[in-house]
């Protein structure tokens, strides 16, 4: 067994960093060592930024985005077309679509997809909030931008049914999103093309 080279505080830092997506135990060790070496330039400012984020971050009561204000920066942005709502599974999809920069619209984050096998039903997702938002008026189009998985498509059908009868256009991402593909992993060109070429349901 290897002998300890650091105290429990740094071991704890390594263990926590290893839980960050994209970092495994090896990268976490490197990151931790870099942080402690750059104690004043990096570790301190990072700790401060994390404490502030931890204190302020929350879920937007309108769209489900995460932000430090409620309503979030997207919902309060008057330069966006709030009459168009892009429905996504996760905040990471919202960020991916924003990186693509194809639409200047509002969003609605579902928080997952319908998955009866995993016991995830409509009440576990932010679908009621979407229907209420659209029912309140002022929305012309809902673009369903869920992943091209079986669960994603089941969710898209369910949402389409729930919005039936409301005077809005409902569309979905065009093909070009690979089957089984997750939006977060698509390049920006593919994403923005899929949005521009969206098809009406
Ligand atoms: Zn919001």
């Amino acid at each position: 067994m290897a002998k300890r080279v650091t105290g429990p505080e740094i071991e704890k830092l390594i263990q926590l960093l290893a839980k960050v997506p994209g970092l495994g135990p090896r990268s976490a060790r490197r990151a931790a060592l870099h942080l402690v070496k750059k104690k004043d330039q990096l570790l301190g400012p990072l700790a401060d930024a994390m404490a502030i984020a931890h204190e302020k971050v929350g879920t937007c009561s309108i769209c489900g985005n995460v932000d430090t204000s409620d309503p979030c920066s997207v919902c309060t942005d008057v330069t966006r077309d709030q009459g168009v709502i892009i429905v996504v599974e996760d905040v990471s999809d919202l960020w991916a679509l924003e990186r693509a920069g194809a639409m200047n619209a509002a969003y609605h984050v579902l928080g997952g997809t319908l998955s009866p096998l995993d016991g995830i039903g409509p009440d576990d997702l932010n679908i009621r909030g979407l229907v209420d938002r659209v029912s309140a008026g002022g929305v012309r189009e809902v673009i369903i931008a869920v992943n091209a998985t079986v669960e994603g498509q089941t969710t898209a059908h369910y949402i389409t049914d729930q919005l039936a009868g409301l005077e809005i256009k409902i569309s979905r991402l065009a093909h070009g999103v690979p089957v089984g593909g997750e939006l977060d992993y698509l390049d920006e060109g593919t994403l923005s093309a899929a949005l521009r070429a969206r098809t009406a349901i």
Side-chain angles (χ1 to χ4, degrees), residues 60-65 71-76 107:
C60 175
S61 54
I62 297 175
C63 75
N65 187 17
C72 74
S73 310
V74 173
C75 287
T76 51
Y107 287 90

